[in-house]
Amino acid sequence: SALYKAMAGKTPERSFIMVKPDGVQRGLVGEIVKRFEQRGYTLRAMKMMHASKPHLEEHYKDLSSKGFFKDLVAYMNSGPVVAMVWEGKDAVKTGRKMLGETNPLASAPGTIRGDFCIEVGRNICHGSDSVESANREISLWFKPEEIIAWDPCIKDWIQE
Ligand code: IDP
Ligand code: MG
């Protein structure tokens, strides 16, 4: 396709997706991974981590003036998370659609938040909101050598 030719030679888009501590506690890691695999995205990095408060404050630094910032950092520090890099066409915007709205009650059924949660402060997953944020978040959470180059054998059956 014309779009694919225009993208040729460029790094495919990547998003930073994370299962939050409540998603891990509730056994939803597999469910969230499954949805990105099934959609046709490629997993490039994944690790479980109990993130420190300073690390989470850096991750969410754009929200530092918000009244809920302290609670947000405490929530995210309350247990381990699963951090991931998913790659493929339109990974950032489509990843956000797959997650649903920030407020789970505003999330359509069929989205991850719309299917599995009801509280904004317990919304089980994170996804980058722009390509710039994705790049910043990926370099905050992963060392370059933790991003794995590999070629899924099904790739020609997913992108033309
Ligand atoms: P996002 O996760 O959909 O990108 P952001 O606005 O970036 O939403 O907020 C980051 C996280 O902070 C949300 O996922 C949610 O857990 C929490 N949060 C956002 N807004 C509120 C709020 O009004 N009250 C409590 N927590 C909030
Ligand atoms: Mg956000």
Side-chain angles (χ1 to χ4, degrees):
S1 71
L3 177 62
Y4 187 71
K5 287 199 183 88
M7 286 170 35
K10 288 189 194 159
T11 309
E13 192 166 300
R14 291 173 184 173
S15 187
F16 176 71
I17 302 291
M18 170 166 53
V19 185
K20 293 180 175 183
D22 48 342
V24 173
Q25 288 288 349
R26 294 177 55 195
L28 293 170
V29 175
E31 175 66 36
I32 292 168
V33 169
K34 182 186 75 169
R35 290 178 180 223
F36 281 86
E37 282 184 325
Q38 285 184 160
R39 188 68 190 262
Y41 288 110
T42 303
L43 183 62
R44 296 291 307 275
M46 175 157 73
K47 67 178 164 192
M48 191 178 217
M49 193 169 148
H50 195 146
S52 69
K53 286 190 174 180
H55 183 89
L56 293 161
E57 284 160 1
E58 178 63 26
H59 173 77
Y60 279 126
K61 68 178 179 191
D62 294 350
L63 299 173
S64 60
S65 64
K66 303 280 185 189
F68 59 81
F69 185 69
K70 209 167 175 287
D71 287 346
L72 172 61
V73 171
Y75 158 46
M76 293 299 296
N77 175 247
S78 65
V81 298
V82 173
M84 297 174 277
V85 177
W86 286 95
E87 181 180 276
K89 189 184 276 185
D90 204 31
V92 170
K93 187 153 59 64
T94 303
R96 294 279 295 189
K97 280 193 201 153
M98 291 166 64
L99 259 52
E101 303 296 321
T102 302
N103 180 357
L105 294 183
S107 301
T111 64
I112 293 166
R113 288 168 175 166
D115 285 348
F116 297 109
C117 51
I118 50 177
E119 282 274 2
V120 70
R122 296 288 184 272
N123 62 0
I124 73 170
C125 52
H126 166 85
S128 309
D129 63 7
S130 68
V131 172
E132 296 70 51
S133 321
N135 291 336
R136 183 183 78 84
E137 292 168 1
I138 289 166
S139 56
L140 176 66
W141 289 83
F142 290 99
K143 298 179 193 129
E145 62 269 28
E146 291 175 320
I147 318 280
I148 309 301
W150 67 290
D151 216 8
C153 63
I154 56 165
K155 72 176 194 309
D156 293 338
W157 301 102
I158 290 179
Q159 276 194 219
E160 53 172 339

